[in-house]
Amino acid sequence: DTGVSQDPRHKITKRGQNVTFRCDPISEHNRLYWYRQTLGQGPEFLTYFQNEAQLEKSRLLSDRFSAERPKGSFSTLEIQRTEQGDSAMYLCASSLGGERFEKLFFGSGTQLSVL
Amino acid sequence: AQSVTQLDSHVSVSEGTPVLLRCNYSSSYSPSLFWYVQHPNKGLQLLLKYTSAATLVKGINGFEAEFKKSETSFHLTKPSAHMSDAAEYFCVVSDNFGNEKLTFGTGTRLTIIP
């Protein structure tokens, strides 16, 4: 168990640029989640995958956001035309599935700063 | 829609004294409730969860929480604080209505005084 890995740890970008983050879940975990955490707040749900299928999306996930999990393993989260309000910590989590709300394992996150 | 309110943004206790972190929830359905801990530069870690079994839930590192439906509360306690308990703690709710969304509170920062 090597844990959930997220890359990069930090990303600084200029407003209007596109950014992509990667998440590698724990192997054999079929459920994968993306959350966003802003300073002083708790994480907010963005989207959920079961294997390669994206089954839930939050209304927070505007048209500029897209997430994929093409082979049911790693996932990417892309933000197009970034805005300063996108600055946040983007967290990925995975779980083995089976029982609902089985323990989620979180990565350390990608900190995005939009200048 | 479900929500949680963490009543204290910051709690300070002396090492060896009891810890109480307060959480009230709101849910239209029978909820599942969790406490997660976040240490600096580390991923969130599950401390414990309640899913309609025993109302007193024991977690890792000596923490426990009691589900009180009449008070809509799910407070986290520990008899004796340790320096390693210093972290951010999040109370979390899910509405058990078939979706996978967890709703986090705003967090309570726990400081341990030596």
Side-chain angles (χ1 to χ4, degrees):
Chain A
D1 179 358
T2 58
V4 177
S5 177
Q6 292 189 245
D7 183 69
R9 290 294 303 274
H10 303 275
K11 178 70 177 179
I12 300 173
T13 191
K14 293 182 179 180
R15 188 177 54 178
Q17 298 294 304
N18 298 344
V19 295
T20 300
F21 311 139
R22 178 182 170 118
C23 171
D24 286 274
I26 294 171
S27 60
E28 299 174 357
H29 279 194
N30 63 344
R31 297 185 176 196
L32 187 144
Y33 308 77
W34 285 98
Y35 281 79
R36 180 173 68 185
Q37 185 176 18
T38 53
L39 200 61
Q41 299 297 315
E44 296 173 296
F45 173 81
L46 292 179
T47 190
Y48 158 66
F49 289 85
Q50 184 163 317
N51 299 311
E52 67 276 9
Q54 187 174 21
L55 298 183
E56 290 180 42
K57 287 174 61 172
S58 165
R59 282 173 289 181
L60 292 174
L61 216 62
S62 76
D63 292 344
R64 297 185 297 105
F65 288 71
S66 62
E68 295 182 341
R69 194 183 183 197
K71 297 183 179 179
S73 56
F74 74 92
S75 175
T76 58
L77 177 67
E78 181 183 15
I79 308 174
Q80 295 182 328
R81 305 181 303 283
T82 52
E83 302 172 356
Q84 288 185 327
D86 297 331
S87 295
M89 177 75 81
Y90 289 83
L91 299 170
C92 178
S94 69
S95 72
L96 190 54
E99 176 185 333
R100 284 189 74 233
F101 305 120
E102 191 163 329
K103 180 178 177 180
L104 298 189
F105 292 80
F106 281 84
S108 298
T110 293
Q111 181 67 54
L112 173 65
S113 298
V114 182
L115 305 178
Chain B
Q2 70 265 26
S3 66
V4 287
T5 301
Q6 292 187 244
L7 299 166
D8 306 292
S9 59
H10 192 186
V11 170
S12 294
V13 301
S14 297
E15 189 177 16
T17 64
V19 175
L20 170 64
L21 305 183
R22 299 183 294 165
C23 172
N24 286 106
Y25 70 90
S26 173
S27 176
S28 303
Y29 305 93
S30 179
S32 291
L33 292 157
F34 313 79
W35 278 96
Y36 274 82
V37 62
Q38 188 173 38
H39 291 274
N41 300 317
K42 292 192 175 180
L44 286 152
Q45 180 183 21
L46 178 67
L47 276 179
L48 50 81
K49 69 177 182 180
Y50 165 79
T51 54
S52 78
T55 56
L56 182 62
V57 182
K58 293 188 183 299
I60 61 172
N61 300 334
F63 284 94
E64 62 182 37
E66 186 172 8
F67 174 72
K68 292 187 176 181
K69 186 175 181 178
S70 61
E71 299 177 10
T72 61
S73 69
F74 190 59
H75 301 333
L76 181 71
T77 60
K78 182 173 180 177
S80 176
H82 191 272
M83 294 301 295
S84 61
D85 295 328
E88 188 90 17
Y89 290 80
F90 293 95
C91 182
V92 185
V93 66
S94 176
D95 63 14
N96 277 336
F97 195 53
N99 63 57
E100 292 292 323
K101 175 185 174 182
L102 296 177
T103 299
F104 284 72
T106 52
T108 297
R109 178 162 298 278
L110 177 63
T111 299
I112 310 298
I113 303 166

Coordinates of all heavy atoms in Angstrom, one line a residue, chain A residues 40-41, chain B residues 5-14 18-23 35 38 40 76 83 85-90 105-114:
Chain A
G40 N -9.3 27.6 5.1 CA -10.2 27.8 6.2 C -11.6 27.0 6.0 O -12.5 27.2 6.9
Q41 N -11.7 26.2 5.0 CA -12.9 25.5 4.7 C -12.6 24.0 4.7 O -11.5 23.6 4.6 CB -13.5 25.9 3.4 CG -13.9 27.4 3.3 CD -14.9 27.8 4.3 OE1 -15.9 27.1 4.5 NE2 -14.8 28.9 5.0
Chain B
T5 N -22.2 21.5 11.4 CA -21.6 22.7 12.0 C -20.7 22.3 13.1 O -21.0 21.6 14.0 CB -22.8 23.5 12.6 OG1 -23.7 23.8 11.6 CG2 -22.2 24.8 13.2
Q6 N -19.4 22.7 12.9 CA -18.4 22.5 13.9 C -18.4 23.8 14.8 O -18.1 24.9 14.2 CB -17.1 22.2 13.3 CG -17.1 20.8 12.6 CD -15.8 20.3 12.1 OE1 -15.6 20.2 10.9 NE2 -14.9 20.1 13.0
L7 N -18.7 23.6 16.0 CA -19.0 24.8 16.9 C -17.8 25.6 17.3 O -17.9 26.7 17.7 CB -19.8 24.3 18.1 CG -21.1 23.6 17.7 CD1 -21.7 22.8 18.9 CD2 -22.1 24.6 17.2
D8 N -16.6 25.0 17.2 CA -15.4 25.7 17.5 C -14.4 25.6 16.4 O -14.1 24.5 15.9 CB -14.8 25.0 18.8 CG -15.8 24.9 19.9 OD1 -16.1 26.0 20.5 OD2 -16.2 23.8 20.3
S9 N -13.9 26.8 16.0 CA -12.9 26.7 14.9 C -11.5 26.4 15.5 O -10.6 25.9 14.7 CB -12.8 28.1 14.2 OG -12.5 29.1 15.2
H10 N -11.3 26.6 16.8 CA -10.0 26.4 17.4 C -10.2 25.9 18.9 O -11.0 26.6 19.6 CB -9.2 27.6 17.4 CG -7.7 27.4 17.7 ND1 -6.8 28.4 17.8 CD2 -7.0 26.2 17.9 CE1 -5.6 27.9 18.1 NE2 -5.7 26.6 18.2
V11 N -9.6 24.8 19.2 CA -9.6 24.3 20.6 C -8.2 24.1 21.1 O -7.4 23.5 20.4 CB -10.4 23.0 20.7 CG1 -10.3 22.4 22.1 CG2 -11.9 23.2 20.4
S12 N -7.9 24.6 22.3 CA -6.6 24.3 22.9 C -6.8 23.6 24.2 O -7.6 24.0 25.0 CB -5.9 25.7 23.2 OG -5.6 26.3 22.0
V13 N -6.0 22.5 24.4 CA -6.1 21.8 25.7 C -4.6 21.5 26.1 O -3.7 21.4 25.2 CB -6.9 20.5 25.5 CG1 -8.3 20.7 25.1 CG2 -6.2 19.5 24.6
S14 N -4.5 21.2 27.4 CA -3.2 20.8 27.9 C -3.0 19.3 27.7 O -3.9 18.5 27.7 CB -3.0 21.2 29.3 OG -3.1 22.6 29.5
P18 N -8.7 16.1 28.9 CA -9.6 15.6 27.9 C -9.8 16.5 26.7 O -9.6 17.7 26.8 CB -10.9 15.4 28.7 CG -10.5 15.4 30.1 CD -9.3 16.2 30.2
V19 N -10.2 15.9 25.6 CA -10.5 16.6 24.4 C -12.0 16.5 24.1 O -12.5 15.4 24.2 CB -9.7 16.1 23.2 CG1 -10.1 16.8 21.9 CG2 -8.2 16.2 23.5
L20 N -12.6 17.6 23.7 CA -14.0 17.6 23.2 C -14.1 18.5 22.0 O -13.8 19.7 22.1 CB -14.9 18.1 24.3 CG -16.4 18.4 23.8 CD1 -17.0 17.1 23.4 CD2 -17.2 19.1 25.0
L21 N -14.4 17.9 20.9 CA -14.6 18.7 19.6 C -16.1 18.5 19.3 O -16.5 17.4 19.1 CB -13.7 18.2 18.5 CG -12.2 18.2 18.8 CD1 -11.4 17.8 17.6 CD2 -11.7 19.5 19.3
R22 N -16.8 19.6 19.1 CA -18.2 19.6 19.0 C -18.7 19.6 17.5 O -18.1 20.4 16.7 CB -18.9 20.7 19.8 CG -18.6 20.6 21.3 CD -19.3 21.7 22.0 NE -18.8 23.0 21.7 CZ -19.4 24.2 22.0 NH1 -20.5 24.1 22.6 NH2 -18.8 25.3 21.7
C23 N -19.7 18.9 17.2 CA -20.3 18.8 15.9 C -21.8 18.6 16.0 O -22.3 17.7 16.6 CB -19.6 17.7 15.1 SG -20.4 17.4 13.5
W35 N -15.6 11.3 11.5 CA -14.6 12.3 11.8 C -13.3 11.9 11.1 O -12.9 10.8 11.1 CB -14.3 12.3 13.3 CG -15.3 13.1 14.1 CD1 -16.4 12.6 14.8 CD2 -15.3 14.5 14.4 NE1 -17.1 13.7 15.4 CE2 -16.4 14.8 15.2 CE3 -14.4 15.5 14.0 CZ2 -16.6 16.1 15.6 CZ3 -14.6 16.8 14.5 CH2 -15.7 17.1 15.3
Q38 N -6.7 15.8 9.8 CA -5.7 16.3 8.8 C -4.5 16.8 9.5 O -4.5 17.9 10.0 CB -6.3 17.3 7.8 CG -5.5 17.7 6.6 CD -6.3 18.6 5.7 OE1 -7.1 19.5 6.1 NE2 -6.1 18.4 4.4
P40 N -0.6 18.4 9.2 CA 0.1 19.3 8.2 C 0.8 18.4 7.2 O 1.5 17.5 7.5 CB 1.0 20.1 9.0 CG 0.4 20.1 10.4 CD -0.3 18.8 10.6
L76 N -16.8 14.6 19.2 CA -15.6 13.8 19.3 C -14.9 14.0 20.6 O -14.7 15.1 21.0 CB -14.6 14.1 18.1 CG -13.3 13.3 18.0 CD1 -13.7 11.9 17.6 CD2 -12.4 14.0 17.0
M83 N 0.5 15.1 22.5 CA 1.0 16.1 21.6 C 0.8 15.8 20.1 O 0.5 16.7 19.3 CB 2.5 16.3 21.8 CG 2.9 16.9 23.2 SD 2.2 18.5 23.5 CE 3.0 19.5 22.2
D85 N -1.7 14.6 18.8 CA -3.1 14.9 18.4 C -3.3 16.2 17.8 O -4.4 16.5 17.2 CB -4.1 14.8 19.6 CG -4.1 13.3 20.2 OD1 -4.0 12.4 19.4 OD2 -4.3 13.2 21.4
A86 N -2.3 17.1 17.8 CA -2.4 18.4 17.3 C -2.6 18.3 15.8 O -1.8 17.7 15.0 CB -1.2 19.2 17.6
A87 N -3.8 18.8 15.3 CA -4.1 18.7 13.9 C -5.5 19.4 13.6 O -6.0 20.0 14.5 CB -4.3 17.2 13.5
E88 N -5.9 19.3 12.4 CA -7.3 19.8 12.0 C -8.2 18.7 12.0 O -7.9 17.6 11.4 CB -7.2 20.5 10.6 CG -8.4 21.3 10.2 CD -8.4 22.7 10.7 OE1 -7.4 23.2 11.0 OE2 -9.5 23.3 10.7
Y89 N -9.4 18.8 12.6 CA -10.4 17.7 12.6 C -11.6 18.2 11.9 O -12.1 19.3 12.1 CB -10.7 17.4 14.1 CG -9.5 16.7 14.8 CD1 -8.5 17.5 15.3 CD2 -9.5 15.4 14.9 CE1 -7.4 16.9 15.9 CE2 -8.4 14.7 15.6 CZ -7.4 15.5 16.0 OH -6.3 14.9 16.6
F90 N -12.2 17.3 11.1 CA -13.4 17.6 10.3 C -14.5 16.6 10.6 O -14.3 15.4 10.6 CB -13.1 17.5 8.8 CG -12.1 18.5 8.3 CD1 -10.8 18.3 8.2 CD2 -12.6 19.8 7.9 CE1 -9.9 19.3 7.7 CE2 -11.7 20.8 7.5 CZ -10.4 20.5 7.4
G105 N -17.5 19.6 7.5 CA -17.6 20.8 8.2 C -16.4 21.7 7.9 O -15.5 21.3 7.1
T106 N -16.4 22.9 8.6 CA -15.3 23.8 8.3 C -14.0 23.5 9.1 O -13.0 24.2 8.9 CB -15.7 25.2 8.6 OG1 -16.3 25.3 9.9 CG2 -16.8 25.7 7.6
G107 N -14.1 22.5 10.0 CA -12.9 22.1 10.7 C -12.7 22.8 12.0 O -13.1 23.9 12.3
T108 N -12.0 22.0 12.9 CA -11.6 22.5 14.2 C -10.1 22.3 14.4 O -9.7 21.1 14.2 CB -12.3 21.8 15.4 OG1 -13.7 22.1 15.3 CG2 -11.8 22.3 16.7
R109 N -9.4 23.3 14.6 CA -7.9 23.2 14.8 C -7.7 22.9 16.3 O -8.0 23.7 17.1 CB -7.2 24.4 14.4 CG -5.7 24.3 14.6 CD -4.9 25.3 13.8 NE -5.1 25.1 12.3 CZ -4.4 24.3 11.6 NH1 -3.5 23.5 12.2 NH2 -4.6 24.2 10.3
L110 N -7.0 21.7 16.5 CA -6.7 21.3 17.9 C -5.3 21.6 18.2 O -4.4 21.1 17.5 CB -7.0 19.8 18.1 CG -6.7 19.3 19.5 CD1 -7.5 19.9 20.6 CD2 -6.9 17.7 19.5
T111 N -5.1 22.4 19.2 CA -3.7 22.7 19.7 C -3.5 22.1 21.1 O -4.4 22.1 21.9 CB -3.5 24.2 19.8 OG1 -3.7 24.8 18.5 CG2 -2.1 24.6 20.3
I112 N -2.3 21.4 21.2 CA -2.0 20.8 22.5 C -0.9 21.6 23.2 O 0.1 21.8 22.6 CB -1.5 19.3 22.3 CG1 -2.5 18.6 21.4 CG2 -1.4 18.6 23.6 CD1 -3.9 18.4 21.9
I113 N -1.2 22.0 24.4 CA -0.3 22.8 25.2 C 0.6 21.8 26.0 O 0.1 21.0 26.8 CB -1.0 23.8 26.1 CG1 -1.9 24.7 25.2 CG2 0.0 24.6 26.9 CD1 -3.0 25.4 26.1
P114 N 1.9 22.0 25.9 CA 2.8 21.0 26.7 C 2.7 21.2 28.2 O 2.4 22.3 28.6 CB 4.2 21.4 26.2 CG 4.0 22.2 25.0 CD 2.7 22.8 25.0

